[in-house]
Amino acid sequence: MKLLHTLCQIAAPSGNEAPLSEFLLNYIQQNKERWKTQPTVLQGEEFQDCIILVFGRPRTAVFAHIDSIGFTVRYGKQLVRIGGPDAETGYQLVGEDAQGKIECTLVVSERDGALTYEYEREIERGTELTFRCDFRETDTTVQSCYLDNRLGVWNALRLCETLQDGVIVFSCWEEHGGGSVAYLAKYIYETYGVRQALISDITWVTEGVRPGKGVVISLRDSLIPRRSYVERIRRLAQEAGIPHQLEVEGSGGSDAKELQHGSQPWDWCFIGAPEDNVHSPDEIVDKRDIESMLALYQVLLQKL
Amino acid sequence: MKLLHTLCQIAAPSGNEAPLSEFLLNYIQQNKERWKTQPTVLQGEEFQDCIILVFGRPRTAVFAHIDSIGFTVRYGKQLVRIGGPDAETGYQLVGEDAQGKIECTLVVSERDGALTYEYEREIERGTELTFRCDFRETDTTVQSCYLDNRLGVWNALRLCETLQDGVIVFSCWEEHGGGSVAYLAKYIYETYGVRQALISDITWVTEGVRPGKGVVISLRDSLIPRRSYVERIRRLAQEAGIPHQLEVEGSGGSDAKELQHGSQPWDWCFIGAPEDNVHSPDEIVDKRDIESMLALYQVLLQKL
Amino acid sequence: MKLLHTLCQIAAPSGNEAPLSEFLLNYIQQNKERWKTQPTVLQGEEFQDCIILVFGRPRTAVFAHIDSIGFTVRYGKQLVRIGGPDAETGYQLVGEDAQGKIECTLVVSERDGALTYEYEREIERGTELTFRCDFRETDTTVQSCYLDNRLGVWNALRLCETLQDGVIVFSCWEEHGGGSVAYLAKYIYETYGVRQALISDITWVTEGVRPGKGVVISLRDSLIPRRSYVERIRRLAQEAGIPHQLEVEGSGGSDAKELQHGSQPWDWCFIGAPEDNVHSPDEIVDKRDIESMLALYQVLLQKL
């Protein structure tokens, strides 16, 4: 899990994904030789900070968002949310401005919930702060900030090792309103004719989804995917004997929102391990669910 | 109204429109010979469960959504809404899972409004439930679940009988966030150059819109159409002497949302009969408003 | 400021921008001869009521929305909002229906906030009302309804005088959910390869943004632009020595929403003077901020 640890430590809140994008490009360059199939790497200004890897003759695209939640310094000591981070007084935040590296403490007002930081000096307006990474691993679990979605990114990178045909997409802004999948999806559909998508992302432990019971196939969240596509995926998971759970939610979203609302007829399904302590510095995932997540993606990219 | 009765009985909640799509393809196949003009029928995977009919040299496209509201079975006996159905304890719901056909009863918690079902066994997770159809017809009214929007679909099918130039679109997901009109609109604009739209859907009886007073031309709902286009439609309705009412609302939406926000310069107008008991099993529409709806569409597809 | 005064007086609420569009086309026709570079003027039905001016070999596009907030007459004496106008009993509203010109008074119910008008006769359903323009100018300020965004339009027109390379876009519907930028952005990107945008619009005076302290470069509002693009703009503003302020907000939006969510990889940044008394008949802006706004746009269109 050294790769996952590294991924969790890189600050890349929505809008400033460049550092993680650079890391991924380096990682791909250094590791792709040992991959079964050599991908075409698409990147550059017309993809902003996103990356697309095209393997063989693709039928399915995997979307993993590389951005994270966080905070922006407003005026004085005020903070504004990037995405929907959990907020508790005492959370350690890190960042950097022109005056140097920052390690400060989050303070949540008991009166009105307003967010501020506690630090020895004033931080420059517009500076981004993210959770300090405290990566913890046991025999059965991993725990850290930003497993959502560095684990989805990790899953995609591991999938690359054996992938023959497929598209891997590293997207931006997912945690804060979206903004890259619309053009990525258009490019992929128009260039490769691919319209089947899997969303490699992390979901929630709930009363119906338990840690250790297998990767989650989501039947719906705030949006409803096309039934016939999700049924095909369920059948393939069953036939392969991979432990999995079915999720049914009325809220929550993912990169799939932009696929659903975009100008191409994408079928999509959210498939990911569930985590507890969502959007906090203490996100925790059961290793068995990570294992079945990767296994299911390997099967689906072959058979879908 | 036998066709309308049949349409109202077919379960096709958002995301699982395939059954109604199949029915429509069969209906079109069996009936198009007696239509004045033979359309090109566009369907298949690149249109998901949608259907496009192209007649002659089209200038205007009519959008009728084929999906309906409903409920998804969550965990235990919990239900999650598909779209915005009205919910009252005692409503009869129907569905089907691997164990067979289901007819159960909706229960709304008096404490917190939570939705559950009452049934002899547990229903499989992810199963969709829709209102049981109790179709009632009098000399002056029709009443059933899902007049919204099977009546809009019926209007479009009846329009086909005499249509010379135009596009008829059967769309999906309208009740639950949309998801097909963006790509349908792109295809139609890019292939046929059509950018005039009419939304064949059902609206609300309110203090300003009364049953029996004629089809409704909506001047706005949550969105505002381009004024000059709506004015042209009003003039044509007046010249033709077709009974109609003007609606002005601050909320509500339709397939027009995706036209308004899409990447083509569509002009659109919502035109449909008003109903009472909206989104319940007892939706009711005055037959005179159905008549003037079809009459207005016939005029507009000729003159717009 | 005679041009600005004229712009503020023209009624053009979202959906009915045609009157301002016509004025602009006339203005451009009459004035472009004295502009440094002659633009290509794109307009007509496929752009609805929008206008695009293309100068030289563009790298950057400036978006200025021409619509305004207002009210629609509903049933009886009820009013529905167009966009988010401030509402106070006594505000003077103007409009026109088939019976003639209207000048009436806004009434806000103290009980439930409901909006109505007071007038000698009933106004026709669907009629649009806008604030009566009371344009006030001092040595240091301008004050009027609709400085948002007639000042952004004014800035764009003044920019045209010296512009060599760039695209100027006059967009519609910004105040009420958007609806034109998606197709304008697609056209501009596909035709000219331009993907850098500046939003010429007006923002808010807040505790962190003060009148007279210079044009505002927004680091974020409800959406977060790509960090690397905004940083380039900040550096250019600093190098040019143009007075400016940095804004960090958690809410608010602009035409940038459609760029962010569209199917092209646009970089965007909101740059505009701040105003007080937002969305009221008494919007007020410091002239120094207008000056630095135009100066910054002139620099950026050259150097970006």
Side-chain angles (χ1 to χ4, degrees), chain A residues 251-296:
Chain A
S251 61
S254 69
D255 272 342
K257 280 194 181 188
E258 293 190 72
L259 294 176
Q260 175 72 9
H261 292 128
S263 297
Q264 302 82 36
W266 284 87
D267 284 334
W268 56 269
C269 185
F270 182 109
I271 301 179
E275 72 173 21
D276 218 339
N277 308 326
V278 172
H279 282 194
S280 83
D282 304 310
E283 299 179 358
I284 186 164
V285 176
D286 190 296
K287 283 182 170 176
R288 289 169 293 183
D289 300 333
I290 301 175
E291 204 178 314
S292 56
M293 181 176 178
L294 181 54
L296 183 53

Side-chain angles (χ1 to χ4, degrees), chain B residues 34-176:
Chain B
R34 58 184 187 84
W35 294 352
K36 199 166 177 177
T37 308
Q38 293 307 298
T40 304
V41 181
L42 300 169
Q43 55 93 20
E45 279 301 301
E46 65 188 301
F47 299 105
Q48 295 180 316
D49 297 310
C50 304
I51 303 168
I52 301 176
L53 305 178
V54 184
F55 292 80
R57 301 175 63 175
R59 298 175 310 277
T60 303
V62 174
F63 289 81
H65 73 85
I66 66 174
D67 62 308
S68 82
I69 51 178
F71 303 88
T72 318
V73 176
R74 193 174 178 250
Y75 313 133
K77 292 191 167 289
Q78 299 169 20
L79 296 176
V80 185
R81 277 181 168 87
I82 299 170
D86 183 47
E88 274 188 33
T89 295
Y91 281 173
Q92 296 301 297
L93 306 178
V94 295
E96 186 169 4
D97 64 10
Q99 298 170 58
K101 291 210 182 283
I102 297 151
E103 188 160 341
C104 64
T105 306
L106 178 63
V107 178
V108 184
S109 163
E110 286 185 17
R111 190 170 46 80
D112 60 3
L115 306 178
T116 54
Y117 63 84
E118 212 172 78
Y119 194 47
E120 62 199 37
R121 62 170 174 87
E122 192 157 301
I123 303 174
E124 287 171 14
R125 192 177 286 196
T127 303
E128 295 139 347
L129 301 173
T130 53
F131 291 133
R132 191 185 60 182
C133 179
D134 175 18
F135 194 87
R136 289 147 282 177
E137 187 177 352
T138 70
D139 286 352
T140 57
T141 62
V142 288
Q143 184 165 27
S144 172
C145 60
Y146 303 138
L147 292 179
D148 171 5
N149 185 36
R150 303 303 156 78
L151 197 46
V153 171
W154 178 92
N155 179 64
L157 288 173
R158 293 295 313 278
L159 182 60
C160 288
E161 298 174 6
T162 56
L163 187 59
Q164 287 190 289
D165 301 302
V167 179
I168 304 291
V169 185
F170 297 106
S171 67
C172 294
W173 279 296
E174 191 269 354
E175 295 287 4
H176 198 91

Side-chain angles (χ1 to χ4, degrees), chain A residues 1-256:
Chain A
M1 303 264 98
K2 196 178 148 231
L3 172 59
L4 180 61
H5 187 167
T6 306
L7 290 169
C8 288
Q9 278 180 320
I10 298 171
S14 307
N16 199 359
E17 295 90 346
L20 189 50
S21 185
E22 271 174 52
F23 172 84
L24 289 173
L25 286 172
N26 280 330
Y27 177 89
I28 291 160
Q29 205 53 45
Q30 285 163 22
N31 288 275
K32 70 178 179 184
E33 270 176 40
R34 58 184 187 84
W35 294 353
K36 198 167 178 175
T37 308
Q38 293 308 297
T40 304
V41 181
L42 300 170
Q43 55 94 19
E45 278 301 300
E46 65 188 301
F47 299 104
Q48 294 179 319
D49 298 310
C50 304
I51 303 168
I52 301 176
L53 306 178
V54 185
F55 292 80
R57 300 176 63 175
R59 298 177 308 278
T60 304
V62 175
F63 289 81
H65 73 85
I66 65 174
D67 61 309
S68 82
I69 51 178
F71 304 88
T72 318
V73 175
R74 194 175 178 250
Y75 312 133
K77 292 192 167 290
Q78 300 169 19
L79 296 176
V80 185
R81 279 181 167 86
I82 299 170
D86 183 48
E88 275 187 33
T89 295
Y91 281 173
Q92 295 301 297
L93 305 177
V94 295
E96 186 169 4
D97 65 9
Q99 298 170 57
K101 291 209 183 282
I102 297 152
E103 189 160 340
C104 63
T105 306
L106 179 64
V107 178
V108 184
S109 162
E110 287 185 17
R111 190 170 47 80
D112 60 3
L115 306 178
T116 53
Y117 62 83
E118 213 171 78
Y119 194 47
E120 62 198 37
R121 62 170 173 87
E122 192 158 301
I123 304 174
E124 287 171 14
R125 192 177 286 196
T127 303
E128 295 138 346
L129 300 174
T130 53
F131 291 133
R132 191 185 60 182
C133 178
D134 174 19
F135 194 88
R136 290 146 281 177
E137 188 178 352
T138 71
D139 286 352
T140 56
T141 62
V142 288
Q143 185 165 26
S144 172
C145 60
Y146 303 138
L147 293 179
D148 171 5
N149 185 35
R150 303 302 155 78
L151 197 46
V153 171
W154 178 92
N155 178 65
L157 289 173
R158 292 294 314 277
L159 181 60
C160 288
E161 297 174 8
T162 57
L163 188 58
Q164 287 189 290
D165 300 303
V167 179
I168 304 291
V169 185
F170 297 106
S171 67
C172 294
W173 278 297
E174 191 269 353
E175 295 287 3
H176 198 92
S180 66
V181 170
Y183 68 78
L184 296 166
K186 179 176 191 282
Y187 183 89
I188 293 165
Y189 179 71
E190 293 184 352
T191 311
Y192 302 102
V194 172
R195 46 171 293 284
Q196 295 186 142
L198 302 176
I199 309 299
S200 177
D201 201 346
I202 301 306
T203 186
W204 313 324
V205 167
T206 62
E207 58 191 301
V209 167
R210 308 307 307 165
K213 297 292 182 188
V215 61
V216 170
I217 300 174
S218 182
L219 302 184
R220 61 168 291 183
D221 49 31
S222 66
L223 290 180
I224 302 175
R226 191 168 169 225
R227 188 82 189 183
S228 54
Y229 181 65
V230 176
E231 292 301 323
R232 281 173 62 208
I233 288 169
R234 288 177 64 177
R235 273 196 302 275
L236 290 170
Q238 274 166 347
E239 286 168 18
I242 294 168
H244 63 278
Q245 312 178 67
L246 300 177
E247 176 182 85
V248 178
E249 290 293 340
S251 61
S254 69
D255 272 342

